[in-house]
Amino acid sequence: MNEDYSRVKHVKESNGIGIAGFVLSIVSVVVSFTSLFSVIFWILGIIFSIMGLFQKPKGLAIAGTIISAISGLLFILMILFAFWFVNAIK
């Protein structure tokens, strides 16, 4: 007697846009100290992370949003420091 009842396969959900936002956010933090391309990664990271917040699972999208916000603050602080440094030299 075969008792092979219908088995439900549990498929793990993934949030591709949230993952992309998270990765771009990490790249923007790493590149922020060496290049101005970090602005492009930062903008794309925050856009994808916010779009990923509307899908499930939200974990990496939330992390990407937070990291993008920190990266944006770092970029703004670096610009302000550069202006302050240039004015201090004059």
Side-chain angles (χ1 to χ4, degrees):
M1 189 165 163
N2 188 3
E3 295 186 20
D4 188 25
Y5 299 113
S6 67
R7 296 182 184 190
V8 178
K9 292 184 180 180
H10 295 284
V11 178
K12 290 187 177 183
E13 295 181 25
S14 66
N15 185 351
I17 295 175
I19 294 170
F22 176 74
V23 169
L24 287 169
S25 301
I26 295 291
V27 170
S28 72
V29 171
V30 171
V31 177
S32 67
F33 299 109
T34 60
S35 173
L36 290 177
F37 288 117
S38 67
V39 176
I40 295 169
F41 293 123
W42 171 66
I43 291 171
L44 290 175
I46 198 143
I47 289 171
F48 285 146
S49 295
I50 290 173
M51 287 172 51
L53 289 175
F54 297 105
Q55 298 177 2
K56 289 185 180 179
K58 296 182 180 186
L60 288 177
I62 292 170
T65 305
I66 292 170
I67 294 170
S68 289
I70 292 170
S71 176
L73 287 174
L74 283 175
F75 181 74
I76 291 170
L77 288 175
M78 285 176 40
I79 297 293
L80 291 175
F81 179 74
F83 281 125
W84 174 78
F85 187 71
V86 168
N87 286 335
I89 292 176
K90 290 181 182 182

